[in-house]
Amino acid sequence: MYGFCCCRVVIDNNACEDATVIQVDSVNKHGILLEVVQVLTDMNLTIRKAYIASDGGWFMDVFNVVDNDGNKIRDKEIIDYIQRRIETSAGFVPSRRGSVGVMPSEEHTSIELAGTDRPGLLSEVCAVLADLHCNVVNAEIWTHNTRAAAVVHVTDDSTGCAITDPKRLLMIKDLLCNVLKGNDDLKTAKTMLSAPGVMHRERRLHQIMFADRDYERVEKTGVRAVEERSSRPQVNLLNIEKDYTVITMRAKDRPKLLFDIICTLTDMQYVVFHGMVNTTRMDANQSPYTRRNF
Protein backbone atom coordinates (compact mmCIF):
# COMPACT_ATOMS: atom_id res chain seq x y z
CA MET A 1 0.00 0.00 0.00
CA TYR A 2 1.23 3.48 -0.81
CA GLY A 3 0.20 6.91 0.39
CA PHE A 4 0.57 10.06 -1.68
CA CYS A 5 2.11 13.25 -0.35
CA CYS A 6 2.79 16.52 -2.17
CA CYS A 7 6.39 16.91 -3.32
CA ARG A 8 8.22 19.55 -5.36
CA VAL A 9 11.79 19.21 -6.64
CA VAL A 10 13.82 22.11 -8.07
CA ILE A 11 17.22 21.44 -9.68
CA ASP A 12 19.36 24.54 -10.23
CA ASN A 13 22.79 24.84 -11.88
CA ASN A 14 23.09 28.60 -11.35
CA ALA A 15 22.74 28.85 -7.56
CA CYS A 16 26.21 27.44 -6.84
CA GLU A 17 29.48 27.85 -8.69
CA ASP A 18 30.77 24.28 -8.38
CA ALA A 19 27.75 22.06 -7.70
CA THR A 20 24.19 21.34 -8.82
CA VAL A 21 21.66 22.40 -6.19
CA ILE A 22 18.68 20.12 -5.59
CA GLN A 23 15.89 21.47 -3.38
CA VAL A 24 13.15 19.15 -2.17
CA ASP A 25 9.95 20.55 -0.61
CA SER A 26 7.35 18.09 0.61
CA VAL A 27 4.77 17.28 3.20
CA ASN A 28 6.77 15.74 6.03
CA LYS A 29 6.47 11.98 6.46
CA HIS A 30 8.53 9.48 8.42
CA GLY A 31 11.38 8.09 6.31
CA ILE A 32 11.27 10.77 3.63
CA LEU A 33 14.86 11.96 4.24
CA LEU A 34 16.16 8.43 3.80
CA GLU A 35 14.12 8.05 0.59
CA VAL A 36 15.65 11.20 -0.95
CA VAL A 37 19.24 10.43 0.09
CA GLN A 38 18.78 6.89 -1.22
CA VAL A 39 17.82 8.20 -4.67
CA LEU A 40 20.87 10.50 -4.81
CA THR A 41 23.11 7.61 -3.73
CA ASP A 42 21.64 5.26 -6.33
CA MET A 43 22.36 7.89 -8.99
CA ASN A 44 26.06 7.88 -7.94
CA LEU A 45 25.90 11.54 -6.97
CA THR A 46 28.30 12.93 -4.39
CA ILE A 47 26.66 15.15 -1.75
CA ARG A 48 29.05 17.99 -0.93
CA LYS A 49 26.70 19.99 1.25
CA ALA A 50 23.22 19.51 2.64
CA TYR A 51 20.81 21.57 4.69
CA ILE A 52 18.05 19.61 6.42
CA ALA A 53 14.85 21.08 7.86
CA SER A 54 11.93 18.75 8.57
CA ASP A 55 10.39 19.94 11.80
CA GLY A 56 6.62 20.15 11.96
CA GLY A 57 4.46 19.26 8.98
CA TRP A 58 6.83 20.31 6.19
CA PHE A 59 10.08 18.86 4.86
CA MET A 60 12.65 21.01 3.04
CA ASP A 61 16.14 19.81 2.12
CA VAL A 62 18.80 21.40 -0.06
CA PHE A 63 21.60 19.24 -1.49
CA ASN A 64 24.70 20.41 -3.36
CA VAL A 65 25.73 17.48 -5.55
CA VAL A 66 28.30 16.59 -8.23
CA ASP A 67 28.85 13.57 -10.45
CA ASN A 68 31.68 11.01 -10.14
CA ASP A 69 34.07 13.41 -11.89
CA GLY A 70 33.27 16.27 -9.52
CA ASN A 71 31.25 18.20 -12.11
CA LYS A 72 27.77 19.68 -12.16
CA ILE A 73 24.93 17.64 -13.64
CA ARG A 74 24.49 19.18 -17.10
CA ASP A 75 22.57 16.54 -19.06
CA LYS A 76 18.91 17.55 -19.16
CA GLU A 77 17.70 13.97 -19.45
CA ILE A 78 19.61 13.01 -16.31
CA ILE A 79 18.29 16.08 -14.49
CA ASP A 80 14.71 15.21 -15.47
CA TYR A 81 15.25 11.60 -14.39
CA ILE A 82 16.62 12.67 -10.98
CA GLN A 83 13.62 14.95 -10.52
CA ARG A 84 11.13 12.19 -11.37
CA ARG A 85 12.89 9.67 -9.12
CA ILE A 86 12.87 11.98 -6.11
CA GLU A 87 9.26 13.07 -6.67
CA THR A 88 8.18 9.44 -6.95
CA SER A 89 10.20 8.22 -3.95
CA ALA A 90 9.33 11.17 -1.71
CA GLY A 91 5.75 11.43 -2.91
CA PHE A 92 4.83 7.78 -2.49
CA VAL A 93 6.16 6.32 0.75
CA PRO A 94 5.21 2.68 1.44
CA SER A 95 3.15 2.21 4.58
CA ARG A 96 4.72 -1.21 5.16
CA ARG A 97 8.42 -1.91 4.97
CA GLY A 98 10.77 -4.76 5.54
CA SER A 99 8.31 -7.66 5.68
CA VAL A 100 9.95 -10.95 4.83
CA GLY A 101 8.73 -14.43 4.05
CA VAL A 102 8.97 -17.27 1.56
CA MET A 103 7.66 -15.21 -1.35
CA PRO A 104 9.89 -15.53 -4.42
CA SER A 105 8.95 -13.34 -7.37
CA GLU A 106 8.52 -14.56 -10.92
CA GLU A 107 11.98 -13.23 -11.76
CA HIS A 108 14.19 -14.53 -8.96
CA THR A 109 14.34 -15.71 -5.37
CA SER A 110 15.95 -13.38 -2.83
CA ILE A 111 18.10 -14.99 -0.12
CA GLU A 112 19.25 -13.06 2.97
CA LEU A 113 22.20 -14.39 4.98
CA ALA A 114 23.82 -13.44 8.28
CA GLY A 115 26.58 -15.20 10.19
CA THR A 116 30.18 -15.16 11.40
CA ASP A 117 32.72 -14.05 8.82
CA ARG A 118 35.66 -16.34 8.07
CA PRO A 119 38.05 -17.05 5.18
CA GLY A 120 36.37 -19.09 2.45
CA LEU A 121 32.79 -18.35 3.53
CA LEU A 122 31.75 -16.82 0.20
CA SER A 123 33.27 -19.76 -1.69
CA GLU A 124 31.32 -22.23 0.45
CA VAL A 125 28.04 -20.37 -0.03
CA CYS A 126 28.54 -20.28 -3.81
CA ALA A 127 29.44 -23.99 -3.84
CA VAL A 128 26.20 -24.88 -2.02
CA LEU A 129 24.11 -22.79 -4.41
CA ALA A 130 25.84 -24.38 -7.41
CA ASP A 131 25.22 -27.90 -6.03
CA LEU A 132 21.54 -26.99 -5.60
CA HIS A 133 21.38 -25.83 -9.25
CA CYS A 134 20.88 -22.19 -8.33
CA ASN A 135 22.15 -19.49 -10.67
CA VAL A 136 23.32 -16.33 -8.87
CA VAL A 137 21.83 -13.33 -10.72
CA ASN A 138 23.42 -10.73 -8.46
CA ALA A 139 24.61 -10.42 -4.89
CA GLU A 140 25.88 -7.90 -2.38
CA ILE A 141 27.92 -8.97 0.63
CA TRP A 142 29.03 -6.92 3.63
CA THR A 143 31.49 -7.88 6.37
CA HIS A 144 32.22 -5.94 9.54
CA ASN A 145 33.52 -6.72 13.01
CA THR A 146 33.66 -10.51 12.40
CA ARG A 147 30.08 -10.56 11.07
CA ALA A 148 28.90 -11.14 7.49
CA ALA A 149 25.62 -10.34 5.76
CA ALA A 150 24.48 -10.86 2.19
CA VAL A 151 21.48 -10.43 -0.09
CA VAL A 152 21.67 -12.87 -3.00
CA HIS A 153 19.23 -13.12 -5.93
CA VAL A 154 19.06 -16.56 -7.52
CA THR A 155 17.12 -18.41 -10.21
CA ASP A 156 16.79 -22.04 -11.21
CA ASP A 157 19.71 -22.73 -13.56
CA SER A 158 17.56 -24.77 -15.96
CA THR A 159 14.51 -22.50 -16.27
CA GLY A 160 16.01 -19.12 -15.44
CA CYS A 161 12.98 -18.41 -13.24
CA ALA A 162 12.46 -18.01 -9.53
CA ILE A 163 12.53 -21.15 -7.40
CA THR A 164 9.03 -21.88 -6.12
CA ASP A 165 9.15 -25.49 -4.86
CA PRO A 166 8.64 -25.28 -1.04
CA LYS A 167 10.77 -28.39 -0.35
CA ARG A 168 13.65 -27.08 -2.44
CA LEU A 169 13.42 -23.66 -0.80
CA LEU A 170 13.58 -25.29 2.64
CA MET A 171 16.62 -27.32 1.57
CA ILE A 172 18.41 -24.19 0.32
CA LYS A 173 17.65 -22.43 3.58
CA ASP A 174 18.82 -25.30 5.80
CA LEU A 175 22.04 -26.04 3.89
CA LEU A 176 23.09 -22.39 3.75
CA CYS A 177 22.36 -22.04 7.46
CA ASN A 178 24.69 -24.97 8.16
CA VAL A 179 27.45 -23.32 6.11
CA LEU A 180 27.04 -20.04 7.97
CA LYS A 181 27.17 -21.70 11.37
CA GLY A 182 30.55 -23.28 10.68
CA ASN A 183 32.21 -25.08 13.59
CA ASP A 184 32.40 -22.32 16.19
CA ASP A 185 29.70 -19.75 15.51
CA LEU A 186 29.05 -17.94 18.80
CA LYS A 187 25.99 -16.22 17.35
CA THR A 188 23.02 -17.74 15.57
CA ALA A 189 23.38 -17.92 11.79
CA LYS A 190 20.34 -16.78 9.83
CA THR A 191 19.04 -17.56 6.37
CA MET A 192 15.84 -15.97 5.09
CA LEU A 193 13.95 -16.09 1.82
CA SER A 194 12.21 -12.83 0.99
CA ALA A 195 10.27 -11.03 -1.68
CA PRO A 196 12.56 -8.90 -3.86
CA GLY A 197 11.50 -5.32 -4.28
CA VAL A 198 10.20 -5.06 -0.73
CA MET A 199 13.19 -2.95 0.24
CA HIS A 200 16.28 -1.33 -1.21
CA ARG A 201 19.08 -3.92 -1.04
CA GLU A 202 21.67 -1.78 0.76
CA ARG A 203 18.98 -0.56 3.14
CA ARG A 204 18.16 -4.18 3.92
CA LEU A 205 21.84 -5.00 4.53
CA HIS A 206 21.99 -2.18 7.06
CA GLN A 207 19.05 -3.72 8.90
CA ILE A 208 20.53 -7.23 8.83
CA MET A 209 23.88 -6.06 10.22
CA PHE A 210 22.21 -3.90 12.87
CA ALA A 211 19.99 -6.79 13.99
CA ASP A 212 23.12 -8.96 14.16
CA ARG A 213 24.72 -6.34 16.45
CA ASP A 214 27.78 -5.90 14.27
CA TYR A 215 28.35 -2.55 16.01
CA GLU A 216 29.53 -4.36 19.15
CA ARG A 217 33.23 -3.61 18.99
CA VAL A 218 35.72 -6.45 18.86
CA GLU A 219 38.91 -5.13 20.42
CA LYS A 220 42.07 -5.82 18.46
CA THR A 221 45.72 -5.64 19.44
CA GLY A 222 48.94 -4.78 17.63
CA VAL A 223 50.03 -2.06 15.23
CA ARG A 224 46.95 -2.38 13.02
CA ALA A 225 44.68 -1.89 16.02
CA VAL A 226 46.48 1.35 16.94
CA GLU A 227 46.13 2.61 13.36
CA GLU A 228 42.41 1.78 13.31
CA ARG A 229 41.79 3.59 16.60
CA SER A 230 43.61 6.69 15.38
CA SER A 231 41.51 6.82 12.19
CA ARG A 232 38.12 6.30 13.84
CA PRO A 233 35.49 8.98 13.21
CA GLN A 234 34.97 11.63 15.88
CA VAL A 235 31.40 11.49 17.21
CA ASN A 236 30.00 13.69 20.00
CA LEU A 237 26.48 13.94 21.41
CA LEU A 238 24.89 16.93 23.11
CA ASN A 239 21.37 17.10 24.55
CA ILE A 240 19.77 20.53 24.16
CA GLU A 241 16.37 22.10 24.73
CA LYS A 242 13.22 20.80 23.02
CA ASP A 243 14.52 17.26 23.56
CA TYR A 244 16.96 17.41 20.64
CA THR A 245 20.16 15.40 20.62
CA VAL A 246 22.81 17.08 18.47
CA ILE A 247 25.26 14.61 16.95
CA THR A 248 28.45 16.16 15.61
CA MET A 249 30.50 13.86 13.41
CA ARG A 250 33.78 14.26 11.62
CA ALA A 251 35.16 11.47 9.46
CA LYS A 252 37.06 10.76 6.28
CA ASP A 253 34.69 11.41 3.41
CA ARG A 254 33.66 8.52 1.17
CA PRO A 255 30.82 7.60 -1.20
CA LYS A 256 27.46 6.82 0.46
CA LEU A 257 28.56 8.16 3.85
CA LEU A 258 25.41 10.25 4.40
CA PHE A 259 23.19 7.36 3.26
CA ASP A 260 24.90 5.01 5.75
CA ILE A 261 24.54 7.52 8.59
CA ILE A 262 20.83 8.13 7.91
CA CYS A 263 20.24 4.38 7.72
CA THR A 264 22.02 3.85 11.06
CA LEU A 265 20.10 6.63 12.80
CA THR A 266 16.83 5.26 11.40
CA ASP A 267 17.63 1.74 12.65
CA MET A 268 18.37 3.21 16.09
CA GLN A 269 14.92 4.86 16.07
CA TYR A 270 16.23 8.41 15.66
CA VAL A 271 14.61 10.97 13.35
CA VAL A 272 16.65 13.84 11.86
CA PHE A 273 14.75 17.12 12.17
CA HIS A 274 17.48 19.60 11.30
CA GLY A 275 21.06 19.33 10.21
CA MET A 276 23.96 20.39 8.08
CA VAL A 277 26.47 18.42 6.00
CA ASN A 278 29.71 19.91 4.72
CA THR A 279 32.52 18.04 2.97
CA THR A 280 36.03 18.96 1.94
CA ARG A 281 38.46 16.99 -0.21
CA MET A 282 39.24 14.68 2.70
CA ASP A 283 36.76 15.17 5.54
CA ALA A 284 33.02 15.16 6.08
CA ASN A 285 31.40 17.16 8.87
CA GLN A 286 27.81 16.45 9.84
CA SER A 287 25.63 17.80 12.64
CA PRO A 288 22.11 16.37 12.65
CA TYR A 289 19.57 17.45 15.27
CA THR A 290 17.70 14.29 16.20
CA ARG A 291 14.95 12.92 18.44
CA ARG A 292 13.97 9.40 19.35
CA ASN A 293 11.05 8.11 17.28
CA PHE A 294 8.88 6.99 20.19
Side-chain angles (χ1 to χ4, degrees):
M1 296 178 62
Y2 289 79
F4 178 77
C5 65
C6 177
C7 177
R8 184 173 73 97
V9 179
V10 176
I11 301 178
D12 188 350
N13 268 320
N14 298 317
C16 179
E17 182 179 348
D18 57 0
T20 297
V21 177
I22 301 176
Q23 180 174 322
V24 182
D25 298 286
S26 172
V27 173
N28 197 12
K29 192 167 186 177
H30 179 62
I32 193 170
L33 175 60
L34 180 55
E35 294 282 344
V36 174
V37 172
Q38 182 175 292
V39 169
L40 299 178
T41 301
D42 288 346
M43 295 293 296
N44 292 319
L45 300 177
T46 298
I47 300 173
R48 285 188 170 173
K49 293 182 180 180
Y51 306 91
I52 300 165
S54 57
D55 211 351
W58 198 254
F59 168 89
M60 188 192 80
D61 274 14
V62 179
F63 300 92
N64 288 18
V65 303
V66 294
D67 62 18
N68 282 332
D69 297 320
N71 300 319
K72 291 184 179 183
I73 317 302
R74 299 288 188 182
D75 190 310
K76 189 177 184 307
E77 290 187 4
I78 295 177
I79 289 174
D80 290 343
Y81 181 70
I82 294 170
Q83 184 170 0
R84 290 196 304 270
R85 281 283 308 275
I86 294 176
E87 288 176 345
T88 301
S89 297
F92 291 86
V93 182
S95 59
R96 296 183 61 191
R97 293 185 176 280
S99 59
V100 294
V102 185
M103 297 171 56
S105 74
E106 294 180 358
E107 297 179 355
H108 58 255
T109 301
S110 183
I111 304 173
E112 299 175 357
L113 310 171
T116 299
D117 188 27
R118 66 176 188 277
L121 178 60
L122 177 58
S123 177
E124 292 177 35
V125 169
C126 291
V128 168
L129 292 174
D131 288 343
L132 294 171
H133 303 289
C134 297
N135 175 53
V136 177
V137 178
N138 55 65
E140 186 150 356
I141 300 160
W142 287 6
T143 62
H144 178 249
N145 232 6
T146 76
R147 305 304 293 168
V151 176
V152 185
H153 295 165
V154 301
T155 58
D156 179 87
D157 64 2
S158 60
T159 65
C161 299
I163 300 166
T164 57
D165 182 7
K167 291 183 178 179
R168 188 177 175 191
L169 291 171
L170 182 60
M171 181 182 295
I172 293 171
K173 182 176 180 180
D174 290 344
L175 290 178
L176 286 177
C177 197
N178 288 336
V179 170
L180 289 165
K181 285 180 180 178
N183 297 322
D184 56 353
D185 195 353
L186 301 178
K187 293 187 178 182
T188 304
K190 298 177 183 177
T191 306
M192 303 182 72
L193 304 173
S194 66
V198 170
M199 183 172 286
H200 186 269
R201 187 166 57 189
E202 292 184 5
R203 177 73 188 98
R204 184 65 187 132
L205 282 165
H206 269 285
Q207 291 186 332
I208 295 171
M209 293 294 263
F210 183 80
D212 206 36
R213 303 178 71 88
D214 74 300
Y215 52 84
E216 293 181 339
R217 185 167 294 154
V218 177
E219 291 299 334
K220 301 176 183 178
T221 59
V223 175
R224 185 174 181 181
V226 173
E227 292 176 349
E228 287 184 4
R229 283 195 290 270
S230 65
S231 63
R232 283 175 184 167
Q234 299 174 18
V235 181
N236 296 293
L237 279 72
L238 176 65
N239 293 320
I240 62 173
E241 60 182 14
K242 297 184 179 180
D243 298 322
Y244 283 122
T245 297
V246 183
I247 306 173
T248 58
M249 293 171 280
R250 182 174 182 177
K252 183 178 180 181
D253 194 25
R254 60 169 175 79
K256 303 183 181 180
L257 178 60
L258 180 59
F259 172 73
D260 290 338
I261 288 173
I262 299 299
C263 283
T264 301
L265 290 173
T266 302
D267 290 339
M268 295 175 68
Q269 301 299 312
Y270 279 90
V271 177
V272 178
F273 286 89
H274 304 282
M276 182 178 292
V277 176
N278 190 20
T279 66
T280 63
R281 285 189 173 183
M282 297 296 296
D283 296 328
N285 296 279
Q286 303 190 25
S287 54
Y289 285 55
T290 66
R291 287 180 186 159
R292 293 301 296 269
N293 184 30
F294 290 149

